[in-house]
Amino acid sequence: MTPNPERFLADLHQLRSFGAAGVGKGVIRPAYSDADIAARAWLADRMREIGLTVHQDPVGNLFGLAQQPSLLLGSHSDSQPEGGWLDGALGVIAALEVARASREAGGPPVSVVSFEDEEGRFGVTTGSAVWSGQIDLDTADALTDHAGVTFAQSRARMADLAGDFVDPAQFTGYIEMHIEQGPSLDVAGEQVGVVSDIVGIRDMRLTFEGQQNHAGTTPMHLRRDAFQAVTTFNAAINEKFRNVVTPRTVWTIGHVALHPNASSIVPGRATFSMQWRDGDADRLARMETIIRTTAQEVADAGGLKLSFGPMLGLEPVPMDATLRAALEASADTVSPGRWRVLPSGALHDATNVARLMPVAMLFVPSIGGISHAFDEDTAETDLVAGLNVLAGAVTRLNQARA
Amino acid sequence: MTPNPERFLADLHQLRSFGAAGVGKGVIRPAYSDADIAARAWLADRMREIGLTVHQDPVGNLFGLAQQPSLLLGSHSDSQPEGGWLDGALGVIAALEVARASREAGGPPVSVVSFEDEEGRFGVTTGSAVWSGQIDLDTADALTDHAGVTFAQSRARMADLAGDFVDPAQFTGYIEMHIEQGPSLDVAGEQVGVVSDIVGIRDMRLTFEGQQNHAGTTPMHLRRDAFQAVTTFNAAINEKFRNVVTPRTVWTIGHVALHPNASSIVPGRATFSMQWRDGDADRLARMETIIRTTAQEVADAGGLKLSFGPMLGLEPVPMDATLRAALEASADTVSPGRWRVLPSGALHDATNVARLMPVAMLFVPSIGGISHAFDEDTAETDLVAGLNVLAGAVTRLNQARA
């Protein structure tokens, strides 16, 4: 098959007219907004034009179904409240173009999907989470957005178009193309990334409780300063992690709350977030041990109390070896010397879909690593390279199957 | 003269009935509250009983004036919103007892004062600040409390009792007895502290601005994490200060605000307070240089922007040598081997009064270093020791003058 770059880019620019922010190429197209619903109607028309059977499920996931069995390609077309034009839209339009080019070439069958609410107006990757059974529909229906609107109320806006959930058994696998949303490919001057795995996440809150004191009358040696405990903990784990992590491991203290948080008072309490991500569940566990023991050592040494909040855990999702090999072979043809294997540090719909079928992902660069912002962008030559890698992988998988 | 411990303690317990919190000995008697106004009416009666001329000035500072010239003793009788029974009340009641005992002994003349709003419902040490000219009355009148009530509205509640400001030329000096509000005397098992100086304070906000990024997709080596910059800065100044500070120097990061302060986002901006206190203005300046250069080094090394907010500066106030020597000699008589010279890490009305006349202070222990809380307390034997040190110093100063 031969994907058409002009047609692909024209569709991509057309899609960003739905919810155009009027600032650069930015879009405002959150799940179930008027712009999102209009964009899905336009996508459904494009699917019908190329002979796919349009099917929207009860939560708004939009499928363009080819004859069974087929590969499923896609991503999501909803955006952050202030989002970029590519994010999930790229994967949906690339899927559309590959399905169209494949149809024109007489096969193989390719189905297309745009999942709903990947950006988490409600929950996280809500549409694919419900389809995959990661959360049940009743639980999802009770979720609310920041304004107090429920998921049930929102999906009711599209109920007139809704059929049943799609049977996943008709799909042989799922490939999602996406922007990297990080700086690695851009910094290296590369065009394509083939994802090795979607990293697992651990996230928890820790609280040091010391002694709130007057910042003028309390000598340094008598203080039990909760913020100083956080900084001591931070330095210690940064040091201890050196023997455990890889260059791909990340960890972040992104949230800090001091009490009473006043310049004249020695902080009596500090609650902070500790999040870490890695593709290897064993490494995540070793880091957890370091975090817990180090925090306890800091608390014991300083005479503070320590408590841990509940730990959020999402397991790493390795990409399917067959799908990934097809992407790698295709990348080596399309962009020789300008692609790499890398993990996805972000969650994607593929995380949920992996519960149902083999999945794989490919990335194109994010200029400056910027995403979830109006100035998110990727060079059009790199977008087309990604499209060609995706099409080449579909062809290879079909040949291997034949 | 011979102060009467029972009378002194009875008055002290009587005063805490005004605004009694009903929790231990705690009081709720903020400036210009009903309880504060009632307590001042009761104090005025006690002053009249012992032959002092009662005079309230336009901001509510309550004086009991002896014949001129006289020493002025006192402190403040307003409390924090949730305060202890001693704090400033101790210095006022001790002054009352010394004035009474002195009157009974036929001299010397001792005047008494209870300053208003030392606790800073409006501004900081507001009553003595206005009297001393530290701030002018028009400026003070525009100050508001947390509920938006102005100082002008509040002092109008006591306008029916108000005369002019008192001429400070009638006073030969001011001595303020206070609880330490820190743990030093309590930890050492000592009864009395003679204050060497009220420390100077420097307080400013610093802001590191790095790059807000996705906590999953941004590799560690490409991050410009504003919170990590704060922790690096903190460790560096703790190390550099070791060659500059004394055991009495204190410094505190009490306020930290991260942006956007979310566990999944690398902090792009961190604003934090840096406060430091010492009795030596040169040392305060050397610490400022370390803070500014270290913050710049951290910003430069990490590729972050750095900005400094305006610096609040209050100069150290050394205690008057003559008044202090009288307190030391008296302490050595009353509590031999159980007193020490120490700086005041907290601000007091004496800071302002030093603009008008020689000042000195003495401390009694705070059990557990606790203050500005319902469970603030001091052993009654220590309260009486402080009373006797104050009375002895007044006697010595009179003998030296005679």
Side-chain angles (χ1 to χ4, degrees), chain A residues 215-351:
Chain A
T217 61
T218 314
M220 301 306 283
H221 72 285
L222 292 178
R223 295 184 178 197
R224 291 182 291 140
D225 182 326
F227 179 65
Q228 292 299 317
V230 177
T231 67
T232 303
F233 166 81
N234 177 70
I237 60 159
N238 284 350
E239 181 63 29
K240 292 185 186 180
F241 280 174
R242 289 171 59 183
N243 296 323
V244 175
V245 300
T246 77
R248 290 294 173 185
T249 314
V250 293
W251 61 98
T252 307
I253 293 177
H255 172 87
V256 175
L258 304 187
H259 180 84
N261 210 26
S263 65
S264 284
I265 303 181
V266 178
R269 190 170 70 239
T271 296
F272 62 104
S273 64
M274 183 74 221
Q275 185 186 91
W276 62 110
R277 304 188 187 210
D278 193 85
D280 177 353
D282 286 344
R283 184 171 294 112
L284 290 171
R286 287 202 297 281
M287 294 173 78
E288 182 187 348
T289 301
I290 290 173
I291 288 164
R292 289 185 186 271
T293 57
T294 304
Q296 194 61 58
E297 287 163 9
V298 169
D300 292 346
L304 298 97
K305 286 200 299 186
L306 167 68
S307 58
F308 298 98
M311 189 175 76
L312 164 79
L314 293 169
E315 295 311 307
V317 177
M319 298 296 97
D320 177 74
T322 304
L323 298 182
R324 176 179 157 184
L327 286 169
E328 291 182 13
S330 181
D332 212 36
T333 303
V334 173
S335 296
R338 294 188 65 200
W339 68 278
R340 69 164 69 188
V341 172
L342 83 181
S344 170
L347 283 179
H348 292 287
D349 288 311
T351 309

Side-chain angles (χ1 to χ4, degrees), chain A residues 75-104:
Chain A
S75 185
H76 63 95
S77 56
D78 63 302
S79 85
Q80 285 281 329
E82 296 192 355
W85 71 300
L86 298 171
D87 203 317
L90 171 63
V92 174
I93 298 298
L96 190 71
E97 178 55 30
V98 171
R100 185 158 45 197
S102 183
R103 180 68 62 123
E104 289 167 351

Side-chain angles (χ1 to χ4, degrees), chain B residues 333-387:
Chain B
T333 304
V334 172
S335 297
R338 295 190 63 201
W339 68 279
R340 68 164 68 189
V341 172
L342 82 181
S344 170
L347 283 178
H348 292 286
D349 289 310
T351 308
N352 296 316
V353 180
R355 297 167 60 95
L356 305 173
M357 65 191 80
V359 304
M361 292 194 72
L362 83 155
F363 285 163
V364 291
S366 294
I367 295 174
I370 296 165
S371 180
H372 291 178
F374 290 152
D375 50 350
E376 166 192 293
D377 210 355
T378 302
E380 294 199 346
T381 50
D382 294 341
L383 297 176
V384 171
L387 171 72

Side-chain angles (χ1 to χ4, degrees), chain A residues 180-184 187 199 203 205 211 213-223 225 227-228 230-232 234 238 247-258 260-267 273-275 277 344-347 368-370 372, chain B residues 180-184 187 199 203 205 211 213-223 225 227-228 230-232 234 238 247-258 260-267 273-275 277 344-347 368-370 372:
Chain A
E180 182 194 343
Q181 301 184 287
S184 298
V187 165
V199 301
D203 194 327
R205 296 270 159 120
Q211 176 69 50
N213 272 317
H214 191 297
T217 61
T218 314
M220 301 306 283
H221 72 285
L222 292 178
R223 295 184 178 197
D225 182 326
F227 179 65
Q228 292 299 317
V230 177
T231 67
T232 303
N234 177 70
N238 284 350
R248 290 294 173 185
T249 314
V250 293
W251 61 98
T252 307
I253 293 177
H255 172 87
V256 175
L258 304 187
N261 210 26
S263 65
S264 284
I265 303 181
V266 178
S273 64
M274 183 74 221
Q275 185 186 91
R277 304 188 187 210
S344 170
L347 283 179
I370 295 165
H372 290 178
Chain B
E180 182 194 343
Q181 302 185 287
S184 297
V187 165
V199 302
D203 195 327
R205 296 270 157 121
Q211 176 71 50
N213 271 317
H214 191 296
T217 62
T218 314
M220 301 306 283
H221 73 283
L222 292 177
R223 295 185 176 195
D225 182 325
F227 179 65
Q228 291 299 316
V230 177
T231 67
T232 304
N234 177 70
N238 284 349
R248 289 293 174 185
T249 314
V250 293
W251 61 99
T252 308
I253 294 177
H255 172 88
V256 175
L258 304 187
N261 209 28
S263 65
S264 284
I265 303 181
V266 178
S273 64
M274 182 75 223
Q275 185 187 92
R277 305 189 188 208
S344 170
L347 283 178
I370 296 165
H372 291 178

